[in-house]
Amino acid sequence: MEVTLSQLIEAAPELAVALRTDIRRGKLPAKRQEGVAGRPYLVDTHALLQSDREGFRQLAQDLEAGREIIRTKSDKGSAGVSHSRRIGEEIWPPFMKIMESQQSMMNQLLDVFTEEMRRRQDRVDRQAREMQELSYKLGQSHQQIERLERILKERTETRLEQA
C-alpha cells in the first residue's frame, strides 16, 4: 500500500524528521509525485516494514492493520486522532513529569541565585559604608596632622626667635 509523506507525518509526527531525512538520503525508497506541492512523496508500506528503524516498522504495521490511522484532506477530524491520541497518552505524562522536575530545579536554582545576589549586595553595601567611614576618619586624621604641624611650626619659630 502506498501512502503520502504528509499522511505518514500526520499519523506519526514524532517520526517526521527521520522520514524526511531518510527519503532525501535515499535510505527509504519513495516516488515523487509530479505537480504536487508540499510533501510530494509516496512511500510503500513494505519499504517501511523493511526499514532498520523500529518506529518505521511499527508505523507500517499500524497502517497495514487499518486505514483509520490515515487522515485524508476531506476527513481531518477523527481518522488519525485515535493513533495520535494513543501516542500522546504514552509520551506526554513522562514528558510532563520531566518538565515539572526541571521547573522545580530551575525555581530552586533561581532561589539560590537570588539569595546569593542578596548576600553579595549586602556585603557590597557594608563595604561601601565601611569605606565611607574610613574615608571620613582619614580626612579627620589629615586635619589633625595639619593642626599638629602648625603647632610644631609655631613652637619652633618662637624658640628660634628666642634664641
Side-chain angles (χ1 to χ4, degrees):
M1 170 172 65
E2 287 186 339
V3 291
T4 65
L5 179 58
S6 296
Q7 291 170 327
L8 289 172
I9 290 173
E10 286 177 10
E14 68 278 4
L15 297 175
V17 174
L19 283 165
R20 277 189 232 124
T21 304
D22 283 2
I23 288 173
R24 288 182 183 145
R25 291 184 180 165
K27 291 181 181 178
L28 187 63
K31 296 178 194 171
R32 184 173 174 85
Q33 293 176 315
E34 295 297 323
V36 177
R39 300 180 190 109
Y41 295 102
L42 285 176
V43 180
D44 192 2
T45 54
H46 296 295
L48 287 172
L49 283 171
Q50 295 172 357
S51 173
D52 59 342
R53 295 184 189 243
E54 177 62 31
F56 290 0
R57 290 192 300 265
Q58 182 63 40
L59 178 61
Q61 289 171 355
D62 290 346
L63 290 171
E64 291 287 333
R67 291 174 140 322
E68 69 274 356
I69 294 171
I70 300 171
R71 288 194 291 185
T72 62
K73 290 184 179 180
S74 62
D75 182 23
K76 293 193 179 207
S78 62
V81 175
S82 63
H83 181 62
S84 297
R85 187 172 293 144
R86 181 174 54 88
I87 291 173
E89 289 170 357
E90 295 169 2
I91 294 174
W92 285 109
F95 180 71
M96 291 304 291
K97 286 180 184 176
I98 291 169
M99 293 301 292
E100 288 169 355
S101 67
Q102 285 180 345
Q103 180 187 10
S104 174
M105 288 188 300
M106 289 301 291
N107 286 338
Q108 289 174 354
L109 189 62
L110 185 62
D111 290 343
V112 168
F113 280 140
T114 303
E115 182 64 25
E116 183 62 29
M117 290 301 293
R118 187 188 59 75
R119 277 193 229 133
R120 284 185 182 178
Q121 188 61 41
D122 289 347
R123 188 171 53 244
V124 167
D125 291 344
R126 187 180 69 246
Q127 288 174 346
R129 282 192 307 272
E130 290 173 359
M131 289 295 291
Q132 191 175 12
E133 290 172 6
L134 289 173
S135 176
Y136 177 73
K137 288 179 182 179
L138 182 64
Q140 285 180 329
S141 298
H142 280 292
Q143 288 176 354
Q144 184 71 17
I145 290 171
E146 287 176 9
R147 188 177 67 77
L148 291 173
E149 284 176 346
R150 274 194 311 260
I151 291 172
L152 183 63
K153 185 177 177 183
E154 288 173 5
R155 283 190 182 175
T156 54
E157 285 179 358
T158 51
R159 284 192 183 169
L160 284 175
E161 287 176 3
Q162 288 176 354

